[in-house]
């Protein structure tokens, strides 16, 4: 045999071997697909596995005292596996009548024959997950259903499948419902609104997984990853104070047939929101909480409550004194093509700045701002911005309305913007933003972010505590603060809100009555002009503990003034809260004697002016005779010491530590132009001290 023949023989053998292997494989495939299909299907049934998600228990939402204000309550729907391995025809046929009787009696809405026929049909169709009844049942009812014929055999032998659903419940009904929020029906979507949404990741926990394998007709647990329950949310809300606020507001809304209303109660020092009410008219005399969070989301023109910001600006810039006179005329005043009016018929005539604020004179306040800032409106708006009222509060609850305070140069800015802005028009703020501003005045100038949550807990242990967040450490100087605090007291003692004055404790605040803008149609709607009546303030005025705002939208019956509609709600809330919180009031402050402790710090300035001030206050001064015009001060333990502050004429002087007035005087006397940034005392200057002076050069001084 030649070499070629040997090679061909070997290749032939290899081809035959591969051909035979292919035939064997084809034979096994045909055998498997046609002749043994039933055998392997039966085998597969004995090896089925199933993974079941185990829902984590959602955490509770608690009020500040630990009362549950939102919690999960389990409910169940009953399903049935009509093809369960242990559910034989003998068992099913013997007990189906008894099961149908029990179901009909339990649910009480369908006949025995209906349930019997329905289950027989489902078994005939081979249904593995048949809904027995759409109604959800409680845990106690579940225990009763478990005892029904067939069901008592369990899942494997009776096909009984209870499906658990967690339903969110509010034990106190509508109280704070909008603030608490709610969930979608599908829990995977998380919180829908309010705190439920804001803290969904904290509340929902982590789901577990249970894996089951079916062997020889029985389900055997194979592996389980346990769920991690959600944590509890400890809010700042007080359900008792929430009830007080809601009942007080509800009564007034019904009395005046208003469209909706808001009431917010806040703790002054921390910004903790104790109560937040949002009531909306759903039917005559019927008001519900579950509609929209007006307190957070509705930014509108605030009207006269904004006059406080205007007064702070004018006082802070030293443009006006409370004793100055201003002529408000006969109650009508023209700005270009528009006429501004006071609510008092015939006007107030010539009054002081203090009276203009306390009586809420539109003309008085607008003339102060217009005459002061007409040539430099940016200065006015910059002052408002420095208070921080143009910025959102940055709340964790979604949907905060954006504050709008126009800036000169804005396309909508016009000649009448400045006077109308000064009285709360052509600006927008939400009730909570306005309250936070007034709360800062009560809190000695410190603006804090409203708090809704004070901590997170689990199994009775506090895991995390939240601290107050400062948004602006000082909205204005101490001197201005003391003046406007006095003005707010005057509103209640002598001004537009004397109807809420009382002899037990003092209230400080401001009324507001604002027309509601209707877009391009102005303020005139189909039913005439509508109003928002509001009152915002704090109490007790001498030791502020709580601040509060009440706003009532579209009151009818021809009564729409803030002092009557909103002020009376404020007074009712304040009375009841004061009675509940009297023992918690901080002690009255006592001023230390001048002989105690370290003496007060003061800005540097002219020696003769500082001497007059310290002599008037009774503070001893050291080193008076320095033969220098300008001095700096040093606070010592038993006296204030003057130190010389040389100001050479040919060099840029050191003005650090001076107030704006003195610094400007010194620099301008040396031929420099001065630009000011900030409020307070000089902490930095753009041109270094000792630099040769160039006449007409601009120097920027930075104040804090």
């Amino acid at each position: 045999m030649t070499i070629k023949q040997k090679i061909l023989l070997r290749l032939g053998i290899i081809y035959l071997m591969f051909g035979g292997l292919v035939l064997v494989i084809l034979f096994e495939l045909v055998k498997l697909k046609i002749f043994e299909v039933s055998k392997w299907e039966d085998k597969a049934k004995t090896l089925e596995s199933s993974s079941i998600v185990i829902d984590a228990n959602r955490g509770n939402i608690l009020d500040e005292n630990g009362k549950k204000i939102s919690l999960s309550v389990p409910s169940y729907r009953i399903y049935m596996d009509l093809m369960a391995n242990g559910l034989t025809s003998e068992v099913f046929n013997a007990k189906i009548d008894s099961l149908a009787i029990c179901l009909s009696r339990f649910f009480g809405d369908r006949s025995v024959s209906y349930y019997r026929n329905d289950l027989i049909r489902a078994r005939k169709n081979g249904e593995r997950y048949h809904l027995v009844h759409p109604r959800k049942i409680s845990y106690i009812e579940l225990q009763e259903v478990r005892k029904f014929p067939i069901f008592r055999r369990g899942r494997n032998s009776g096909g009984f499948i209870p499906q658990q659903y967690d339903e969110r419940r509010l034990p106190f009904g509508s109280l704070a419902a909008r603030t608490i929020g709610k969930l979608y029906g599908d829990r995977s979507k998380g919180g829908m609104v309010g705190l439920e949404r804001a803290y969904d990741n904290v509340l929902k926990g982590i789901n577990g997984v249970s894996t089951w394998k079916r062997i020889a007709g029985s389900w055997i647990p194979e592996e389980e990853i346990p769920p991690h329950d959600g944590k509890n949310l400890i809010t700042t809300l007080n359900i008792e104070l929430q009830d007080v606020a809601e009942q007080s507001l509800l009564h007034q809304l019904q009395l005046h047939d208003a469209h909706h209303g808001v009431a917010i109660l806040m703790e002054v020092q921390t910004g903790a929101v104790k109560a937040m009410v949002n009531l909306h008219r759903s039917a005559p005399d019927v008001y519900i909480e579950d509609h929209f969070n007006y307190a957070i989301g509705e930014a509108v023109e605030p009207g006269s409550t904004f006059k406080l910001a205007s007064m702070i600006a004018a006082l802070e810039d030293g443009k006006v004194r409370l004793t100055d006179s201003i002529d408000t005329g006969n109650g009508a005043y023209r700005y270009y093509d528009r006429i501004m009016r006071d609510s008092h018929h015939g006007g107030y005539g010539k009054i002081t700045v203090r009276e203009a604020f306390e009586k809420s004179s539109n003309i008085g306040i607008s003339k102060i701002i217009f005459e002061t800032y007409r040539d430099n409106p940016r200065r006015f708006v910059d002052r408002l911005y420095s208070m921080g009222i143009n910025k959102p509060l940055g709340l964790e609850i979604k949907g905060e309305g954006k504050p709008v305070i126009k800036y000169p140069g804005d396309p909508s800015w016009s000649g009448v913007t400045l006077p109308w802005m000064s009285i709360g028009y052509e600006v927008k703020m939400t009730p909570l933003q306005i309250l936070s501003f007034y709360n800062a005045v009560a809190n000695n100038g410190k603006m804090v972010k409203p708090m809704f949550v004070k901590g997170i807990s689990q199994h009775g242990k506090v895991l995390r505590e939240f601290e107050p967040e400062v948004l602006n450490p000082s909205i204005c100087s101490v001197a201005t603060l003391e003046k406007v605090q006095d003005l707010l007291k005057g509103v209640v003692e002598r001004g537009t809100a004397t109807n809420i004055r009382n002899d037990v404790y003092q209230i400080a605040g401001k009324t507001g009555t604002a027309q509601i803008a209707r877009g391009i149609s102005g303020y005139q709607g189909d039913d005439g002009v509508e109003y928002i009546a509001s009152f915002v303030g704090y109490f007790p005025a001498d030791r502020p503990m709580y601040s509060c705002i009440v706003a009532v939208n579209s009151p009818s019956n021809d009564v729409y003034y803030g002092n009557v509609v909103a002020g009376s709600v404020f007074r009712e809330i304040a009375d009841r809260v004061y009675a509940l919180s009297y023992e918690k009031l901080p002690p009255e402050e006592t001023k230390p004697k001048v002989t105690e402790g370290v003496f007060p710090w003061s800005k540097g300035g002219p020696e003769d002016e500082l001497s007059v001030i310290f002599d008037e206050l009774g503070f001893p001064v050291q080193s008076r005779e320095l033969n220098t015009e300008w001095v700096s001060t040093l606070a010592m333990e038993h006296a204030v010491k003057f130190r010389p502050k040389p100001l050479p004429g040919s060099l840029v002087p050191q003005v650090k530590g001076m107030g704006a007035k003195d610094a400007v005087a010194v620099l301008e006397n040396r031929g420099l132009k001065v630009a000011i940034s900030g409020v307070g005392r000089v902490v930095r200057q753009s041109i270094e001290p000792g630099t040769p002076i160039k006449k007409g050069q601009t120097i920027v001084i930075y104040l804090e």
Side-chain angles (χ1 to χ4, degrees), residues 316 477 601-604 633 645 655-661 663 676-685 701-704:
E316 194 73 351
S477 66
W601 171 90
S602 78
K603 301 171 184 175
T633 64
K645 193 176 185 69
V655 294
K656 184 177 179 181
M658 291 185 181
K661 173 188 167 188
I676 302 174
S677 175
V679 179
R681 65 185 178 93
V682 179
V683 295
R684 185 163 57 90
Q685 57 193 78
I701 56 174
Y702 300 89
L703 285 67
E704 288 183 2

Side-chain angles (χ1 to χ4, degrees), residues 514-561:
Q515 297 182 15
I516 300 175
R518 299 297 180 188
I520 59 175
S521 61
Y523 296 92
Q524 189 74 30
D526 295 337
D527 299 324
V529 177
E530 293 186 322
Y531 297 87
I532 298 176
S534 61
F535 186 90
V536 55
Y538 52 88
F539 61 93
D542 56 338
R543 291 175 288 163
M545 189 172 183
Y546 293 106
S547 60
C548 180
I549 186 170
V550 176
V552 177
N553 190 294
S554 302
S556 60
N557 303 330
D558 296 325
V559 180
Y560 50 79
Y561 285 109

Side-chain angles (χ1 to χ4, degrees), residues 421-433:
M421 177 185 286
S422 71
I423 62 170
Y425 290 92
E426 297 200 31
V427 297
K428 289 184 178 181
M429 295 180 73
T430 68
L432 187 56
Q433 289 162 359

Side-chain angles (χ1 to χ4, degrees), residues 633-648:
T633 64
L634 176 65
M636 303 176 66
E637 185 173 355
H638 300 293
V640 177
K641 184 178 181 179
F642 284 176
R643 296 181 295 183
K645 193 176 185 69
L647 300 172

